Amino acid sequence: MSDRQILQAMSGLMAGMFVSILAGTVVANALPRIIADLGASQSSYTWVVTAELLAMTATVPLWGKLADLYNQKLLLQISLGLFVVGSLLAGFSQDVGLLIFSRVAQGIGAGGLTALAQVVMAAIIPPRRLGKYAGLFGAVFAVGTVAGPLIGGVLVDTSWLGWRWCFFIGVPFALLAIVLLQRTLKLPSTRREAKIDYLGAFLIVAGVCALLIWVSLAGNSFDWASWQTAALTGGGVVLLATAVLVESRVPEPIIPLGIFRNRTVTLTTVASLFVGLAMFGGTVFLSQYFQISLGKSPTVAGLMSLPMIMGLLVSSTVAGQFISKTGRWKAFLVAGGVLMTAGLGLLSTIGADTHFGLLSLYMAVMGVGVGMLMQNLVLAAQNDVPASELGAATSVLSFFRSLGGTIGTSVLGAILANRVAAEMSKGLQEAGVPAGGGSAGHGAVPDMTTLPAPIRAIVEHAYGVATGELFLVATPFALLALVAVLFVKEKPLKTTSGMERLAEESAAAAQNTRTDPPRTSAGTSSAEPAETT
């Protein structure tokens, strides 16, 4: 494919990715208003957030496996269709039950987009040329991440629109993506007999959901040391162990365990898990830090993350161009690991009085590191697996990155809540305020506009100290990602696309079938006389 044809085909992919990112970011500032309007509880608030994340993370491996068996363009359009249905149901929801159900549908669609976009890129673009296109997806990621909270805030504050448009706004982009994919993306339709491993799929989804529900709710809805923890963790481990047993025996496993014999896949998977833990787990609380500790509005808080997003965008674009020109990629992975670790370490020093210029520098360092790591981990894995396993390898990396982000967000969120409570209690005690004063209890996020100045200073200090500690906890995980990357062996980037490699592999398999003599029922070649008794 020429560069023009590739860009045309990528237009639908980028529209789909923008929809997926927007779904997760546009409701961030609207959720308090949504929950209040629907008369729901704090636990419902948690489930509205968790439902989409659970569905997306758990279904990514399934979409990846389906991509190896069926037409990838059709699967992309189905995932976009699911997203449209979920968005419309969410927008018209009159109770929180329907809203949570609709978020599950959105999550399943987003899981398809997350897995399939990178699979299709690998199918149409050779690894050697893939780097320079990664910057375009970095731009889409940056725009969706920054614009989402801003758009959500404007929609909620506009009386004649309201929070329902936070869900409706993604529908036209999803429909546009479906049309663009139909018109521009040309993929061969592969037809082969395949058996879907329904038991393995159920066990994987059930086991992952049990563990994700545990890390999402532990410390909030129940204690970390409780019977609920024992039931969810024990059940999740048993389900996943059974899934491994099933996957090792079926002819068409959802996650082919054989791909983990590939050193590159194993190491990049481990690195992706730790990148998710470190990056998502640490940065998800930055917006809260901006609003509570620094006293900024939601709109300004969204803009303050620009240094990190710009660092990510520039580094992914520049690194991609160099990789496409030179064919060398490991140096960028190592540099990304070093910079991400350094950025998190620097962010661990922040507090309520940190100057924004210094904060911007720290965020930019981390953003540059993440930009060099995320897409290039996928590139390294895709370059080192057979074309028939591109979907499985890509989805495994996406799955573990999302899993790491979910675990990191939940665990670090619990650490943040405990640290804030301790710092606020200490500050209130030193100020002579009775225990429970100043909205310090019950893990509630305080409304800063209603607090008197002395109490507000205590709260700002508490959130500043606690957020810095979060980055300190996240830093070792980034260091572990760097260690995993150091052991990845650099291999030359292939110059043929996934479709071309698949055609070559299929032709080679057919040639082997023709040259191998047929076997008799006794297992001997028909060209040789069967052994007589």
Side-chain angles (χ1 to χ4, degrees):
M1 297 176 70
S2 66
D3 286 342
R4 178 185 177 87
Q5 291 171 319
I6 289 174
L7 286 173
Q8 287 177 339
M10 285 179 63
S11 61
L13 292 178
M14 288 189 289
M17 284 298 292
F18 180 73
V19 163
S20 176
I21 295 164
L22 196 66
T25 59
V26 75
V27 298
N29 291 332
L31 273 175
R33 183 75 59 84
I34 294 172
I35 295 301
D37 284 356
L38 296 179
S41 63
Q42 179 64 34
S43 62
S44 298
Y45 184 109
T46 303
W47 275 107
V48 170
V49 176
T50 306
E52 186 196 18
L53 197 57
L54 279 173
M56 182 184 76
T57 303
T59 57
V60 161
L62 310 185
W63 286 108
K65 180 59 183 177
L66 291 173
D68 287 334
L69 300 179
Y70 301 112
N71 186 277
Q72 294 160 1
K73 180 169 80 171
L74 177 61
L75 291 172
L76 266 173
Q77 291 172 315
I78 290 173
S79 65
L80 284 164
L82 280 171
F83 182 86
V84 169
V85 171
S87 298
L88 292 175
L89 285 174
F92 288 115
S93 295
Q94 298 300 317
D95 61 78
V96 75
L98 180 58
L99 178 61
I100 292 172
F101 174 79
S102 67
R103 294 287 284 173
V104 172
Q106 279 188 313
I108 295 173
L113 294 169
T114 300
L116 295 168
Q118 296 186 90
V119 174
V120 171
M121 279 183 66
I124 63 176
I125 308 172
R128 182 63 188 266
R129 296 169 62 193
L130 189 59
K132 65 180 181 180
Y133 295 100
L136 294 175
F137 275 86
V140 172
F141 178 85
V143 171
T145 302
V146 174
L150 298 178
I151 293 171
V154 170
L155 291 173
V156 170
D157 291 334
T158 304
S159 59
W160 51 277
L161 290 173
W163 62 262
R164 296 183 185 278
W165 279 93
C166 290
F167 300 105
F168 293 147
I169 194 170
V171 172
F173 290 101
L175 295 175
L176 173 65
I178 292 173
V179 173
L180 287 173
L181 288 169
Q182 184 62 35
R183 292 176 60 89
T184 62
L185 185 61
K186 308 297 182 185
L187 293 175
S189 246
T190 56
R191 294 182 178 273
R192 68 184 182 91
E193 289 187 12
K195 294 181 179 179
I196 301 297
D197 176 22
Y198 293 106
L199 177 59
F202 168 76
L203 291 170
I204 291 171
V205 171
V208 169
C209 284
L211 295 179
L212 290 182
I213 289 171
W214 169 59
V215 298
S216 300
L217 301 184
N220 296 316
S221 300
F222 50 82
D223 293 332
W224 287 97
S226 63
W227 69 265
Q228 293 96 331
T229 290
L232 288 170
T233 55
V237 169
V238 169
L239 287 167
L240 291 178
T242 308
V244 170
L245 182 63
V246 170
E247 295 294 274
S248 65
R249 295 173 180 269
V250 295
E252 293 281 359
I254 298 298
I255 299 179
L257 300 180
I259 66 172
F260 292 110
R261 297 192 190 100
N262 184 307
R263 174 177 168 177
T264 302
V265 172
T266 301
L267 289 171
T268 52
T269 298
V270 171
S272 294
L273 175 68
F274 289 131
V275 166
L277 275 164
M279 186 191 73
F280 293 110
T283 58
V284 74
F285 299 103
L286 269 177
S287 178
Q288 192 176 58
Y289 164 76
F290 294 147
Q291 294 181 52
I292 296 178
S293 193
L294 302 186
K296 306 300 182 182
S297 69
T299 301
V300 174
L303 292 172
M304 287 178 74
S305 63
L306 275 175
M308 184 171 63
I309 300 302
M310 292 306 297
L312 188 153
L313 170 60
V314 171
S315 67
S316 65
T317 304
V318 173
Q321 294 289 339
F322 273 102
I323 289 171
S324 292
K325 284 183 179 180
T326 65
R328 312 289 294 183
W329 48 267
K330 183 173 178 178
F332 293 99
L333 284 181
V334 174
V338 170
L339 289 173
M340 186 176 77
T341 305
L344 284 168
L346 291 170
L347 284 168
S348 70
T349 65
I350 65 175
D353 55 352
T354 303
H355 190 273
F356 180 64
L358 202 57
L359 186 61
S360 298
L361 175 63
Y362 297 166
M363 288 191 295
V365 170
M366 182 181 163
V368 170
V370 172
M372 290 183 180
L373 265 179
M374 281 181 59
Q375 188 63 34
N376 292 326
L377 285 171
V378 178
L379 173 65
Q382 290 177 336
N383 183 62
D384 203 30
V385 296
S388 58
E389 294 181 355
L390 274 175
T394 304
S395 64
V396 162
L397 262 67
S398 300
F399 168 72
F400 277 95
R401 187 173 63 240
S402 297
L403 184 63
T406 306
I407 294 171
T409 301
S410 301
V411 174
L412 293 180
I415 294 173
L416 177 73
N418 291 331
R419 190 75 171 106
V420 165
E423 284 294 321
M424 288 175 68
S425 297
K426 177 183 174 184
L428 292 171
Q429 186 178 7
E430 292 175 353
V433 178
S439 303
H442 310 295
V445 177
D447 183 354
M448 300 298 286
T449 60
T450 64
L451 298 180
I455 301 297
R456 186 163 60 246
I458 293 172
V459 175
E460 289 172 352
H461 174 75
Y463 272 88
V465 170
T467 305
E469 188 170 296
L470 282 193
F471 288 109
L472 183 62
V473 173
T475 301
F477 294 113
L479 186 60
L480 289 171
L482 172 61
V483 171
V485 164
L486 287 172
F487 286 96
V488 177
K489 183 179 179 181
E490 184 166 24
K491 297 184 179 180
L493 294 176
K494 293 181 172 66
T495 56
T496 52
S497 69
M499 287 191 295
E500 293 167 329
R501 287 157 56 193
L502 186 60
E504 293 170 0
E505 291 169 12
S506 300
Q511 180 66 27
N512 290 338
T513 302
R514 286 195 297 269
T515 56
D516 285 345
R519 300 284 174 175
T520 66
S521 59
T524 59
S525 170
S526 60
E528 301 171 349
E531 184 177 349
T532 57
T533 58

